[in-house]
Amino acid sequence: MEKIVFLDRDSLDANVRRPSFDHEWIEYPGTAPADVGARLQDATIAITNKVPLRAADIARLPALKMVAVAATGTDNVDLAACRERGIVVSNIRNYSLVSVPEHVFTLILALRRNLLAYSADVAAGRWQAQERFCLLDHPIGDLAGSRIGIVGYGALGHKVAHLARAFGMEVFVTSRSQVADPGVTVLPLPELLGSCDIVSLHLPLNDQTRNMIGAAELATMKPTALLINTARGGLVDEAALAAALAGGVIGGAGFDVLSKEPPVAGNPLLELNLPNFILTPHVAWASAGAMQTLADMLIDNVEAYAKGAPTNVV
């Protein structure tokens, strides 16, 4: 009988059905890294969303046969150590194809139309003090006719492009894989950064992508350009971005991710108090529908493994 341990059940606000095969199920609201080894003793299947599972932990878990990651990103799991042991690692794919792109455009629209600045003006009584019917102190830009650059053209990038075309935007893409989409124009990253009004990141975090957007890259962007990141915080040099926003190097940024989560004091993006910067707490993925889809796919992966035909193997 399989022993399944969910290390951070409270990270998923959804109904998680129990697998259809005989098993023992244990779940914890959350797990500190120091407790991973003890909680996974004798576990054959571990479920983790963001709790790290490192090589030292894996070495102490001889019964472990599968790690079911309740997310797309697997940077919290030592994949090399799992492969060496023959441990199957499965992740969740394409569950937030509505939620994330909608959040991307929520950030874009709020920034492009200066919603934070105008809302703050109303709260401060500035509209009420006007002689005219409206207050026009901040520029408002349309999306139609503007250029969006999508860096990373997987499933999420495709969905962002679809919404962008609905808004009447021109779509440009940088991708390592071949792009066979007649509705987009492929550009190398430097050209995309320098020519687009909005740049949206949709890449995994790895050694090749870490800090791929730094001071030099930001300096090539238009002074009115927006940078949107709903992917991984480590893709962007946060200190360089804070300096670029404060110095007017780019027009604004909307982020849903930081390099360390939950964030710690001293992160330069936490200290920004600017109307052209929006930071949300890693919730782009988290619509009710997306979370339930994730939960269902999570158990699908576990059941597929138990049947001897694992799916979504990393």
Side-chain angles (χ1 to χ4, degrees), residues 283-298:
V283 294
W285 65 280
S287 71
M291 281 196 283
Q292 190 57 56
T293 299
L294 186 157
D296 293 340
M297 294 175 72
L298 174 68

PDB file of all heavy atoms in Angstrom, residues 283-298:
ATOM      1  N   VAL A 283      -0.127  35.450  -7.115  1.00  0.00           N
ATOM      2  CA  VAL A 283      -1.517  34.979  -7.200  1.00  0.00           C
ATOM      3  C   VAL A 283      -2.034  34.887  -8.634  1.00  0.00           C
ATOM      4  O   VAL A 283      -3.205  34.564  -8.846  1.00  0.00           O
ATOM      5  CB  VAL A 283      -2.458  35.900  -6.384  1.00  0.00           C
ATOM      6  CG1 VAL A 283      -2.155  35.803  -4.905  1.00  0.00           C
ATOM      7  CG2 VAL A 283      -2.365  37.360  -6.859  1.00  0.00           C
ATOM      8  N   ALA A 284      -1.177  35.139  -9.617  1.00  0.00           N
ATOM      9  CA  ALA A 284      -1.652  35.096 -11.005  1.00  0.00           C
ATOM     10  C   ALA A 284      -2.239  33.735 -11.354  1.00  0.00           C
ATOM     11  O   ALA A 284      -3.189  33.628 -12.131  1.00  0.00           O
ATOM     12  CB  ALA A 284      -0.515  35.435 -11.961  1.00  0.00           C
ATOM     13  N   TRP A 285      -1.708  32.692 -10.768  1.00  0.00           N
ATOM     14  CA  TRP A 285      -2.136  31.329 -11.061  1.00  0.00           C
ATOM     15  C   TRP A 285      -3.403  30.915 -10.323  1.00  0.00           C
ATOM     16  O   TRP A 285      -3.981  29.872 -10.624  1.00  0.00           O
ATOM     17  CB  TRP A 285      -1.026  30.355 -10.626  1.00  0.00           C
ATOM     18  CG  TRP A 285      -0.807  30.370  -9.129  1.00  0.00           C
ATOM     19  CD1 TRP A 285      -0.106  31.287  -8.415  1.00  0.00           C
ATOM     20  CD2 TRP A 285      -1.329  29.444  -8.178  1.00  0.00           C
ATOM     21  NE1 TRP A 285      -0.148  31.003  -7.074  1.00  0.00           N
ATOM     22  CE2 TRP A 285      -0.886  29.868  -6.904  1.00  0.00           C
ATOM     23  CE3 TRP A 285      -2.115  28.300  -8.278  1.00  0.00           C
ATOM     24  CZ2 TRP A 285      -1.221  29.192  -5.735  1.00  0.00           C
ATOM     25  CZ3 TRP A 285      -2.442  27.627  -7.107  1.00  0.00           C
ATOM     26  CH2 TRP A 285      -1.996  28.064  -5.864  1.00  0.00           C
ATOM     27  N   ALA A 286      -3.838  31.723  -9.342  1.00  0.00           N
ATOM     28  CA  ALA A 286      -4.668  31.210  -8.252  1.00  0.00           C
ATOM     29  C   ALA A 286      -6.153  31.515  -8.348  1.00  0.00           C
ATOM     30  O   ALA A 286      -6.812  31.635  -7.324  1.00  0.00           O
ATOM     31  CB  ALA A 286      -4.124  31.726  -6.922  1.00  0.00           C
ATOM     32  N   SER A 287      -6.712  31.599  -9.540  1.00  0.00           N
ATOM     33  CA  SER A 287      -8.173  31.684  -9.597  1.00  0.00           C
ATOM     34  C   SER A 287      -8.765  30.385  -9.064  1.00  0.00           C
ATOM     35  O   SER A 287      -8.105  29.333  -9.047  1.00  0.00           O
ATOM     36  CB  SER A 287      -8.645  31.919 -11.028  1.00  0.00           C
ATOM     37  OG  SER A 287      -8.458  30.751 -11.811  1.00  0.00           O
ATOM     38  N   ALA A 288     -10.010  30.442  -8.618  1.00  0.00           N
ATOM     39  CA  ALA A 288     -10.649  29.245  -8.071  1.00  0.00           C
ATOM     40  C   ALA A 288     -10.668  28.110  -9.101  1.00  0.00           C
ATOM     41  O   ALA A 288     -10.401  26.947  -8.777  1.00  0.00           O
ATOM     42  CB  ALA A 288     -12.071  29.573  -7.614  1.00  0.00           C
ATOM     43  N   GLY A 289     -10.968  28.453 -10.342  1.00  0.00           N
ATOM     44  CA  GLY A 289     -11.009  27.435 -11.385  1.00  0.00           C
ATOM     45  C   GLY A 289      -9.645  26.813 -11.640  1.00  0.00           C
ATOM     46  O   GLY A 289      -9.523  25.596 -11.823  1.00  0.00           O
ATOM     47  N   ALA A 290      -8.606  27.650 -11.655  1.00  0.00           N
ATOM     48  CA  ALA A 290      -7.255  27.140 -11.914  1.00  0.00           C
ATOM     49  C   ALA A 290      -6.790  26.228 -10.786  1.00  0.00           C
ATOM     50  O   ALA A 290      -6.177  25.177 -11.028  1.00  0.00           O
ATOM     51  CB  ALA A 290      -6.285  28.301 -12.089  1.00  0.00           C
ATOM     52  N   MET A 291      -7.082  26.619  -9.539  1.00  0.00           N
ATOM     53  CA  MET A 291      -6.642  25.785  -8.420  1.00  0.00           C
ATOM     54  C   MET A 291      -7.336  24.435  -8.414  1.00  0.00           C
ATOM     55  O   MET A 291      -6.734  23.408  -8.098  1.00  0.00           O
ATOM     56  CB  MET A 291      -6.852  26.519  -7.099  1.00  0.00           C
ATOM     57  CG  MET A 291      -5.772  27.548  -6.809  1.00  0.00           C
ATOM     58  SD  MET A 291      -5.739  28.102  -5.093  1.00  0.00           S
ATOM     59  CE  MET A 291      -7.140  29.211  -5.109  1.00  0.00           C
ATOM     60  N   GLN A 292      -8.628  24.403  -8.762  1.00  0.00           N
ATOM     61  CA  GLN A 292      -9.315  23.116  -8.799  1.00  0.00           C
ATOM     62  C   GLN A 292      -8.790  22.242  -9.927  1.00  0.00           C
ATOM     63  O   GLN A 292      -8.626  21.023  -9.772  1.00  0.00           O
ATOM     64  CB  GLN A 292     -10.824  23.316  -8.934  1.00  0.00           C
ATOM     65  CG  GLN A 292     -11.606  22.020  -8.744  1.00  0.00           C
ATOM     66  CD  GLN A 292     -11.319  21.368  -7.391  1.00  0.00           C
ATOM     67  OE1 GLN A 292     -11.488  21.988  -6.346  1.00  0.00           O
ATOM     68  NE2 GLN A 292     -10.868  20.122  -7.412  1.00  0.00           N
ATOM     69  N   THR A 293      -8.503  22.855 -11.057  1.00  0.00           N
ATOM     70  CA  THR A 293      -7.899  22.097 -12.153  1.00  0.00           C
ATOM     71  C   THR A 293      -6.562  21.522 -11.735  1.00  0.00           C
ATOM     72  O   THR A 293      -6.241  20.356 -12.013  1.00  0.00           O
ATOM     73  CB  THR A 293      -7.722  22.999 -13.391  1.00  0.00           C
ATOM     74  OG1 THR A 293      -9.005  23.463 -13.822  1.00  0.00           O
ATOM     75  CG2 THR A 293      -7.051  22.259 -14.519  1.00  0.00           C
ATOM     76  N   LEU A 294      -5.755  22.326 -11.035  1.00  0.00           N
ATOM     77  CA  LEU A 294      -4.459  21.852 -10.541  1.00  0.00           C
ATOM     78  C   LEU A 294      -4.635  20.661  -9.611  1.00  0.00           C
ATOM     79  O   LEU A 294      -3.934  19.645  -9.729  1.00  0.00           O
ATOM     80  CB  LEU A 294      -3.733  22.993  -9.828  1.00  0.00           C
ATOM     81  CG  LEU A 294      -2.299  22.767  -9.362  1.00  0.00           C
ATOM     82  CD1 LEU A 294      -1.570  24.094  -9.215  1.00  0.00           C
ATOM     83  CD2 LEU A 294      -2.209  21.997  -8.048  1.00  0.00           C
ATOM     84  N   ALA A 295      -5.573  20.771  -8.670  1.00  0.00           N
ATOM     85  CA  ALA A 295      -5.796  19.695  -7.701  1.00  0.00           C
ATOM     86  C   ALA A 295      -6.203  18.398  -8.406  1.00  0.00           C
ATOM     87  O   ALA A 295      -5.741  17.308  -8.052  1.00  0.00           O
ATOM     88  CB  ALA A 295      -6.867  20.108  -6.696  1.00  0.00           C
ATOM     89  N   ASP A 296      -7.064  18.509  -9.408  1.00  0.00           N
ATOM     90  CA  ASP A 296      -7.502  17.321 -10.139  1.00  0.00           C
ATOM     91  C   ASP A 296      -6.339  16.702 -10.921  1.00  0.00           C
ATOM     92  O   ASP A 296      -6.169  15.474 -10.947  1.00  0.00           O
ATOM     93  CB  ASP A 296      -8.635  17.679 -11.098  1.00  0.00           C
ATOM     94  CG  ASP A 296      -9.914  18.098 -10.374  1.00  0.00           C
ATOM     95  OD1 ASP A 296     -10.054  17.769  -9.183  1.00  0.00           O
ATOM     96  OD2 ASP A 296     -10.747  18.770 -11.008  1.00  0.00           O
ATOM     97  N   MET A 297      -5.516  17.553 -11.544  1.00  0.00           N
ATOM     98  CA  MET A 297      -4.374  17.052 -12.304  1.00  0.00           C
ATOM     99  C   MET A 297      -3.322  16.438 -11.386  1.00  0.00           C
ATOM    100  O   MET A 297      -2.649  15.458 -11.762  1.00  0.00           O
ATOM    101  CB  MET A 297      -3.769  18.183 -13.138  1.00  0.00           C
ATOM    102  CG  MET A 297      -4.690  18.700 -14.229  1.00  0.00           C
ATOM    103  SD  MET A 297      -4.018  20.121 -15.116  1.00  0.00           S
ATOM    104  CE  MET A 297      -2.718  19.338 -16.066  1.00  0.00           C
ATOM    105  N   LEU A 298      -3.187  16.971 -10.187  1.00  0.00           N
ATOM    106  CA  LEU A 298      -2.241  16.426  -9.222  1.00  0.00           C
ATOM    107  C   LEU A 298      -2.556  14.965  -8.918  1.00  0.00           C
ATOM    108  O   LEU A 298      -1.675  14.092  -8.968  1.00  0.00           O
ATOM    109  CB  LEU A 298      -2.286  17.266  -7.939  1.00  0.00           C
ATOM    110  CG  LEU A 298      -1.468  16.767  -6.757  1.00  0.00           C
ATOM    111  CD1 LEU A 298       0.016  16.882  -7.051  1.00  0.00           C
ATOM    112  CD2 LEU A 298      -1.828  17.551  -5.489  1.00  0.00           C
TER     113      LEU A 298
END
